[in-house]
Every structure is written in structure tokens, then in C-alpha cells.
Amino acid sequence: MKDKIRAVASFNALGHEGKAELNSVISKTISLFPEERKNLKTLMPLIKEIVDEVNSLSAEEMKAIIERDFPELLATTSKEEEKRLPDLPDVGKEGVVMRMAPSASGPLHIGHARMAILNDEYFRRYGGKLVLRIEDTNPANNEPEAYQMIQDDLHWLDVNYTDLVIQSKRFELYYSEMKSLVEMGKAYVATSPTEEFKSRKQQGMPIKERDETPEENLERWDKMVSGEYAKGEAYAVVKTDLTHPNPAIRDFIAFRIVDTPHPLEGDRYRAYPMMNFSVAVDDHYNGLTHVIRGKDHTANTEKQKYIFGYRNWKLPFYLHYGKVSIEHTILKTSLIKKGIRSGEFTGWDDPKLGTLVALKKRGFSPLAIRKYYVESGIGSVDTTFSWEIFYSFNRKIIDNTSPRHFFVNQPVSLKFEFEGKLNASIPLYPQTGNSATHEKREYSVGKGSISITSQDYQKFKGELVRLKDLGYFKIGDENIEYIGQEILEDVQKWNPGRPLGKVPIIHWLSGNDVPFKVIKPDGTSEEGLLEKDALRFTGKVNQFERYGYVNVLNEKEGYFTHP
Ligand code: GLU
């Protein structure tokens, strides 16, 4: 049991920058071993102890523990590979028409990726059309760069939409649709204070304009469109049912007056549609057959259905998936914009952010994002985004193509007195069986100095270690001594405290390095020495042995991908 928990903690740590989280390890353990729930009291201190122990290990050691003690743990996630999204009902011969409707407030983040991937998966399955509709009818939140960034993000995700619709180009359509509703007596234009509208609605009561004639309302509508009212002076409302048990679904505001200039249209329009109005009109005119969106839109769907009903439009099939909470990253556009302005973030692709541009720059494969969301499905149950599962998908995808290199963080330089030369021949891609990738890094090491990490130095000072692919060495206070290629004597003679046969294997550098900085998603960074050969792979993810995956951005720094 202890070994299994250690593996669970290791798996969790690999998903959280090398630090397992006690609560997640406890809940994962219980979900894997439900019969242990009754022993929780005695298990808790044990799990705490194991988590502390695991948190001092390197990623390599964690992976080794999982493979040795609980390989099925990985199988429980890979079994899910067969997961497939359920079929959609009512798909005709022409396929589907689906859409992604992000607002123009900024680039897409890992949360938006879900709606893009799910819609795209169905479009791929059935054919038809996939519309990208940029919703930009709230100028106060619009970000001029967003129009292009959203499209770039989707291209990166390999989401190939067939049509691009920009809502601010469709004001005339929204106006004529609203006018029809007013003429039909299904909408009204009010100048009563909005407070009064809200409080009467709460009590299931109308404001006076609701009962006025279409002619009177039309007159105010024309004035609203031609800009005769100041901000807040008038608003247009779609009638629903004032006695609806859910007050959120009773009469809703469909237009308001906006003074903020629009990034594309300037001050050409003053009457702006609210989301529920423009979404309903567009879903109809874009020919949507299936609308897949988050559960937070459930009440909106009910409101939008009134418009479909009044106009006798065919309803699309609606599906609302549960909310995914994404912790340990920053997603909120307003916070990001503020942080970029204050210099707290370097840009939309700062590694602390959950934007797609940041994940791209950290070296994630868009395939890992797709796989994650396909496997999470479209159920209505709320879930929490699992970074560890996401990291494990990405690791599987990039591992074979990531060359391995040594990065010695916080280096300690040890004097190496040696006559002659030692040769090291280190595979660049030891993880693949592919002979085309049998390339090696060749080094010749002689008198001079050898650097190892200060962590290894502290841990193994006075002991025998194996410098990876170079030989056995003894670490002294200020120097390092070559012992040989094979150790014939009992290892315990060298390292009395360590279990038999286990000589730690550590990475090293000697004259073949450059200073390098790794910037981490938690905002910290680590400085050290990087094997110069890694610079041949600038713009690519490298695997820094015993450290983690790093996207080498330039000759001085890289972004940490994940352990
Ligand atoms: N633009 C809306 C939003 O980002 C989406 C509307 C919808 O999916 O219906 O919340």
C-alpha cells in the first residue's frame, strides 16, 4: 500500500511542478482504493509523510517509482484512450452547422479550448460548417488585438472553421429583427428607470411600457436607433413570461445605449444588442443545427428560445456541458490586461498565464489539449482540470521528439585533476527505438573542472556517484576524483549509508556549457549551465535530464513545460 501511495503522490507531483498536493493525493488514493476509506484516520499521517518524502525527489525518480511500483496507474489513464464523444441526435445528410462564439475580449485560454475542440470534433465527424463568430458587441471589453489572436489560436489548435462572422458587422440585421419583435408586440422599449424594471420583474409585474401599443414602442425604438437617447435613458426588452418561476428568465433586456467607441465601428452605432439577443438572431441566421456550450448558458438558452418561438424559427439542438474549474493558472482577461500594463506579465504569452499562446510558448502540443477535452467528454457534471493528466498526455506526445540534454542548475564547480582524457558518448534520444535518432553527443573530458548541481553536491559529498555516461567518481569537498568505469568492490565500502548496488547517477557538465535560465510558470526562475548542444534545438522542447521538459526559446533562456 505504501508503495502504491508513493506512486500516486509521484504522479500528482509530476502534475504540479514537482510538488504533490496532500488533498489530491488523499482523494486519488481513496478513489483507487475505496475499501481504504474506513482506514482514513490512520492513512492520513502516512500519506502526509509520503507526500513530504516524494516532494524531495527528482522527476526522474518519481517516474521510476510509478513504473516500478504502480505501472497500472498510467494504464488507468491510458485506458480512457478509447473514450469517444457520444453521437449527436438529428444529424442530416448535409452534416452539422456548429459554432464557436468567443467574445473579443482577448486571446483564447485553456478554458475556451474546450468549446473549440468539442465543436470541432463534431464538425470533423459529421462535416457541414463550423462557424467562428467573434462576439464584439460590448466595446468596453473589446481588445482590438483579439480578432487576430483568436484566429491564430484556433489555427494552432488545428480547428479549421469554415466561416467567420463578426457581430459588429451585423447591426442592421439586429435592428431589423428587433423592429419586427416590437411590431409584433413581443418586445418593448422603455425609459422607466432600470431599477424599477428589475424590481417589478422580481415581483412578476410589468412596467408601464410593456402594456403600451406597438406604435408607441416603435417610436421609441426609432429614437433609440437614431441616437436620441443618452446612455441609460432607454433600453429595449424582449417579453417572456413575467410569472416564470425563474426570475432570470422573465423579460430580458435586449438592447442598451453604449457610448464607448467600438474598435472596428467607432461611434457609428449607439444602440447595442445584448448577448442573448444577438446570439439568438445569429444562431438562426448562421443556420446552426447544434449548439454546444457550457452549463452557465442554460438560462440564456431558455431566454433565446422565446425569440425563436416568436419568429417561428427551427430550434437547434442544445447541449450544455459541465463547468471545468481550472486552478493554478491565471485566465481572467481583465486581470491579464492589468498585469501586462503594470509589467507583472511580459505579455499574453507570459508563462504564468493559461492562455493558449502561453501554453504554446511553454512547448505544449495542441494534440494534448485536444486529447484532454475529448476524454473529458461532454457530461453535465462539473469537474476540475487535472494538470497531471494533461501533463502526462503532453509528455507522451513530445517525449520521442525531445532531445535530452544536461542542465546543471545552481552549479558547483569541482576541480578535476586528471592526466589523460575520458570520453563520453551520450544518446540524444535514448527514449526511442528509432535508429534514425541514434545521434550522440560526444565529449572528451580532461584536467579542469566538472560542474554538478548544488543539490547533488550537498547530497552526495564524500560519496561515490556515477556521472552519467562518463564513469564512477568520488565527490570531494572541492574536487572530484575519477575512480573507474566499473566498480569491482562492494559499493557499500564507498557509500555505507546507501542500499547495496545503488550508486546514484547524476548529470554533469565540463567545458561544454553556456549560462542558461529556466523561467517557470509559478513566476520563479532557475539559473544554471546548459549543455551547449541544446542550442542547436532552439525553438523546440528539450528534455533536461533529471529536471524536466523545457522549451528552449533562445540561447539564454527557456520556458519550463512540465516535469
Ligand atoms: N460570447 C459568449 C461567451 O463567450 C458565448 C455565447 C454562446 O456560446 O452562446 O460567453
Side-chain angles (χ1 to χ4, degrees):
M1 191 65 199
K2 202 168 168 181
D3 291 344
K4 296 262 190 301
I5 298 173
R6 197 182 291 111
V8 170
S10 300
F11 187 62
N12 185 269
L14 288 171
H16 296 101
E17 324 304 336
K19 295 286 168 239
E21 287 173 352
L22 182 59
N23 287 333
S24 333
V25 177
I26 293 173
S27 56
K28 182 82 187 173
T29 306
I30 295 302
S31 82
L32 287 167
F33 306 100
E35 68 284 1
E36 295 293 339
R37 185 181 292 278
K38 56 181 187 309
N39 305 328
L40 203 56
K41 254 215 169 85
T42 43
L43 220 50
M44 297 262 268
L46 177 69
I47 296 180
K48 164 113 187 41
E49 194 182 300
I50 292 174
V51 164
D52 290 342
E53 173 199 334
V54 162
N55 284 349
S56 70
L57 301 178
S58 71
E60 297 289 315
E61 288 166 315
M62 293 174 189
K63 284 181 228 169
I65 286 174
I66 300 169
E67 262 156 49
R68 189 190 63 210
D69 297 331
F70 200 3
E72 309 86 304
L73 186 60
L74 298 172
T76 55
T77 48
S78 63
K79 226 185 267 153
E80 287 161 20
E81 260 167 44
E82 297 129 36
K83 275 201 181 158
R84 181 180 185 267
L85 294 172
D87 281 328
L88 292 177
D90 305 327
V91 177
K93 272 204 309 293
E94 312 276 280
V96 291
V97 181
M98 301 186 66
R99 45 80 162 176
M100 301 162 293
S103 51
S105 54
L108 303 182
H109 58 58
I110 183 76
H112 295 117
R114 185 174 190 200
M115 63 89 191
I117 297 296
L118 291 177
N119 281 286
D120 185 48
E121 283 289 316
Y122 283 117
F123 165 63
R124 289 181 181 197
R125 185 178 300 175
Y126 297 118
K129 277 188 186 180
L130 179 62
V131 178
L132 166 60
R133 191 167 76 216
I134 299 187
E135 307 211 322
D136 61 341
T137 56
N138 184 5
N141 280 345
N142 282 356
E143 173 65 43
E145 288 174 273
Y147 297 89
Q148 190 54 48
M149 287 191 292
I150 290 171
Q151 297 182 60
D152 294 345
D153 289 337
L154 292 173
H155 291 144
W156 180 66
L157 283 177
D158 200 19
V159 167
N160 299 301
Y161 49 89
T162 54
D163 297 69
L164 173 65
V165 172
I166 297 190
Q167 284 193 321
S168 60
K169 301 285 172 211
R170 297 162 74 81
F171 273 84
E172 302 307 331
L173 172 66
Y174 305 139
Y175 288 169
S176 81
E177 285 303 320
M178 189 61 191
K179 190 166 181 175
S180 304
L181 290 181
V182 177
E183 282 166 351
M184 292 165 74
K186 299 299 184 192
Y188 53 97
V189 179
T191 52
S192 300
T194 44
E195 293 319 312
E196 190 184 326
F197 166 72
K198 282 184 200 150
S199 79
R200 293 187 70 86
K201 183 166 104 149
Q202 212 59 18
Q203 301 159 40
M205 295 199 327
I207 48 167
K208 67 177 195 315
E209 293 88 341
R210 194 183 204 269
D211 297 325
E212 288 176 359
T213 62
E215 289 69 31
E216 287 167 292
N217 277 304
L218 267 180
E219 206 174 297
R220 281 191 293 269
W221 171 247
D222 289 338
K223 278 166 78 176
M224 206 177 153
V225 170
S226 58
E228 285 175 46
Y229 293 114
K231 186 178 168 197
E233 257 178 21
Y235 49 96
V237 181
V238 169
K239 287 185 186 173
T240 65
D241 172 2
L242 275 183
T243 60
H244 196 289
N246 180 356
I249 293 169
R250 296 178 194 163
D251 290 19
F252 61 89
I253 297 185
F255 276 85
R256 62 193 173 129
I257 306 288
V258 169
D259 276 342
T260 315
H262 188 277
L264 303 185
E265 301 300 327
D267 53 11
R268 184 189 310 205
Y269 303 105
R270 298 198 68 217
Y272 271 72
M274 302 292 286
M275 179 183 73
N276 279 307
F277 188 81
S278 47
V279 162
V281 167
D282 283 340
D283 280 351
H284 170 68
Y285 283 99
N286 295 157
L288 269 287
T289 59
H290 296 76
V291 172
I292 294 192
R293 57 183 169 191
K295 214 156 91 175
D296 48 326
H297 285 292
T298 309
N300 292 331
T301 300
E302 292 314 307
K303 295 185 205 176
Q304 292 162 21
K305 279 182 180 170
Y306 280 92
I307 299 176
F308 276 79
Y310 296 147
R311 305 292 280 126
N312 225 346
W313 292 335
K314 186 175 185 311
L315 273 180
F317 168 81
Y318 291 98
L319 190 146
H320 301 99
Y321 48 75
K323 182 177 158 54
V324 195
S325 318
I326 306 176
E327 292 156 2
H328 310 293
T329 189
I330 300 162
L331 301 176
K332 218 170 174 269
T333 315
S334 52
L335 281 184
I336 299 178
K337 279 188 199 168
K338 211 168 119 207
I340 293 176
R341 253 182 275 123
S342 73
E344 185 190 350
F345 307 132
T346 52
W348 291 102
D349 59 4
D350 187 287
K352 293 189 275 303
L353 307 179
T355 55
L356 295 183
V357 277
L359 294 177
K360 177 181 174 195
K361 197 163 173 182
R362 276 174 61 191
F364 284 91
S365 162
L367 290 175
I369 300 178
R370 185 173 289 267
K371 186 172 159 64
Y372 186 89
Y373 282 130
V374 168
E375 297 204 353
S376 324
I378 49 169
S380 58
V381 177
D382 294 349
T383 52
T384 302
F385 188 83
S386 163
W387 289 97
E388 62 254 59
I389 291 176
F390 179 52
Y391 287 176
S392 77
F393 288 169
N394 195 61
R395 206 175 284 129
K396 242 185 230 162
I397 294 166
I398 66 173
D399 190 57
N400 275 352
T401 53
S402 308
R404 303 234 181 157
H405 288 102
F406 292 161
F407 171 65
V408 173
N409 58 324
Q410 298 165 16
V412 173
S413 171
L414 298 169
K415 221 194 286 151
F416 183 46
E417 308 274 9
F418 186 68
E419 298 309 323
K421 293 278 183 203
L422 291 171
N423 293 321
S425 175
I426 319 173
L428 200 55
Y429 299 96
Q431 66 275 40
T432 73
N434 179 352
S435 59
T437 55
H438 281 170
E439 211 183 324
K440 292 194 155 144
R441 301 110 77 191
E442 311 276 353
Y443 299 115
S444 173
V445 177
K447 187 176 163 75
S449 66
I450 293 180
S451 302
I452 62 171
T453 70
S454 65
Q455 209 188 358
D456 285 336
Y457 173 73
Q458 296 303 342
K459 209 159 153 190
F460 304 122
K461 193 163 43 172
E463 292 193 17
L464 180 75
V465 295
R466 185 165 171 81
L467 295 191
K468 194 156 194 301
D469 297 297
L470 193 64
Y472 288 92
F473 288 77
K474 185 172 183 214
I475 299 179
D477 278 348
E478 285 171 11
N479 70 325
I480 186 161
E481 184 192 342
Y482 178 60
I483 304 299
Q485 286 303 313
E486 303 285 338
I487 291 299
L488 302 173
E489 305 92 335
D490 180 359
V491 168
Q492 285 208 295
K493 180 191 118 192
W494 295 91
N495 298 345
R498 297 202 177 269
L500 196 66
K502 277 202 177 167
V503 179
I505 301 174
I506 68 174
H507 61 294
W508 55 275
L509 288 167
S510 179
N512 50 347
D513 47 70
V514 289
F516 195 78
K517 181 157 101 176
V518 176
I519 302 166
K520 300 206 154 183
D522 64 2
T524 62
S525 61
E526 276 182 307
E527 312 228 3
L529 299 172
L530 175 64
E531 198 177 326
K532 213 188 224 153
D533 187 65
L535 300 183
R536 286 199 294 135
F537 302 89
T538 300
K540 246 183 89 82
V541 179
N542 284 238
Q543 192 182 155
F544 292 0
E545 296 208 36
R546 300 177 69 227
Y547 186 79
Y549 295 80
V550 174
N551 194 21
V552 175
L553 297 173
N554 54 50
E555 57 192 21
K556 291 199 179 67
E557 59 189 25
Y559 276 4
F560 190 70
T561 316
H562 51 64

